[in-house]
Amino acid sequence: MTSIADPPIRRLDETDVAACVALAEKHGWPPEPGKWSLLMRVGEVYGIGDDELIGTVALVRYGDGFAVVSMMVVSPEHTRRGHGRRLMAHVLRAARRCTLALYATAAGRPLYLDLGFRTIGWSSSYLGVLDQGSGQTRVAAATDLAAIAAADRAAFGGDRLPLLRRWASEGRWLRVAERADRIAGFAGAWRSREAQTLIGPVVADDLATATSLITDLAADAGGQVRLDVDRAVPGLEAWALAQGMIPSGPAFPLMTVDGEPLPGDRGRVFAPIGSALG
């Protein structure tokens, strides 16, 4: 129960980015102002506190039936006071008619379990240099966006068109694979921090198409890339290891309320945009 002494929960905007970065850095998270800014533009970021930001959580909706929660963090000086539970209760109320998914940290998982989330899968990150492209995909054009969004909606189970449109307009790498004059897959890549490129999303009909997209994007970007692998998708983890990519950090559980299955044809979703966006 909220007491009158509890600091308020408020919707954050881009004037709060620096405070969000500072809060995240207290937990050893990388400074990624671009990610926070993007979340504020395509989703809803909430925070506790006015003069001092002591906790955050982000909610990104993909249509009316699916949403992703991320960036749930509380200042180390203010833990064990119920702030994380208040933030999660806030987004649970806001998205009460949605299938709600998140990637859990070890610190956050006990709270999520207590709130009714259950593990339905795992994601592992791999790092490596993939400098040999397949030559079997092409750079996406603006005219491909409608077909990309339709393919994504069928696989992902939610409407990511506003995010994909912004994605394309901000100059991120985006490639498509074609088969019989239709989109057989697409993938994107973006610079998440200095000298590292994150590949995702990757949506494809099969593993061969997905890996062609991944290698071509890696060749475009140059240098080290990171790939977040959904362990439920057959073959991708083994492929990453065969390419000399190495595991980076612990695996993260993918959780939903009551273990509800994710919408869409998830066998075609090979990698998320990232843990913050699903």
Side-chain angles (χ1 to χ4, degrees):
M1 185 179 205
T2 302
S3 82
I4 59 172
D6 285 327
I9 294 176
R10 61 185 178 88
R11 177 85 174 262
L12 304 182
D13 59 33
E14 294 200 49
T15 64
D16 297 295
V17 166
C20 291
V21 169
L23 176 61
E25 286 185 301
K26 290 182 179 181
H27 283 267
W29 294 7
E32 296 180 301
K35 180 190 288 186
W36 286 101
S37 181
L38 178 63
L39 284 165
M40 290 167 182
R41 295 196 301 273
V42 302
E44 305 155 33
V45 181
Y46 297 98
I48 289 182
D50 287 321
D51 297 333
E52 177 190 11
L53 187 62
I54 61 176
T56 62
V57 69
L59 175 69
V60 181
R61 305 172 192 265
Y62 296 114
D64 295 329
F66 182 47
V68 172
V69 178
S70 65
M71 312 308 272
M72 214 293 287
V73 60
V74 175
S75 171
E77 297 90 352
H78 296 275
T79 57
R80 301 187 183 280
R81 301 183 190 178
H83 299 309
R85 185 176 294 274
R86 284 184 62 212
L87 286 164
M88 285 302 301
H90 186 84
V91 295
L92 283 167
R93 286 193 298 271
R96 62 184 177 274
R97 288 182 293 275
C98 292
T99 298
L100 202 58
L102 57 82
Y103 289 95
T105 62
R109 195 178 183 201
L111 171 61
Y112 305 141
L113 286 169
D114 195 43
L115 291 171
F117 284 84
R118 297 294 179 263
T119 299
I120 62 167
W122 292 84
S123 176
S124 298
S125 294
Y126 286 83
L127 297 176
V129 177
L130 306 173
D131 53 10
Q132 198 69 36
S134 75
Q136 297 177 17
T137 71
R138 63 171 175 82
V139 175
T143 52
D144 294 315
L145 194 56
I148 287 172
D152 184 61
R153 194 159 44 245
F156 183 73
D159 183 9
R160 290 196 286 190
L161 178 58
L163 176 59
L164 293 169
R165 183 181 290 122
R166 183 176 292 277
W167 196 265
S169 71
E170 293 184 1
R172 293 179 172 88
W173 297 281
L174 190 64
R175 278 188 168 267
V176 295
E178 293 177 305
R179 184 179 299 150
D181 297 323
R182 70 174 184 85
I183 298 293
F186 76 94
W190 55 294
R191 193 81 68 183
S192 63
R193 66 186 84 164
E194 187 178 358
Q196 186 181 105
T197 300
L198 175 65
I199 292 181
V202 181
V203 173
D205 287 353
D206 50 50
L207 179 63
T209 304
T211 56
S212 293
L213 288 160
I214 291 166
T215 53
D216 286 351
L217 280 168
D220 289 344
Q224 189 179 74
V225 298
R226 188 181 106 206
L227 178 66
D228 292 344
V229 174
D230 181 347
R231 288 183 170 181
V233 178
L236 187 57
E237 194 165 25
W239 175 86
L241 289 168
Q243 306 309 304
M245 301 187 81
I246 59 173
S248 173
F252 291 98
L254 171 62
M255 308 182 79
T256 61
V257 177
D258 295 328
E260 186 176 359
L262 295 177
D265 182 3
R266 287 292 167 147
R268 290 192 287 149
V269 180
F270 286 81
I273 294 178
S275 59
L277 291 160

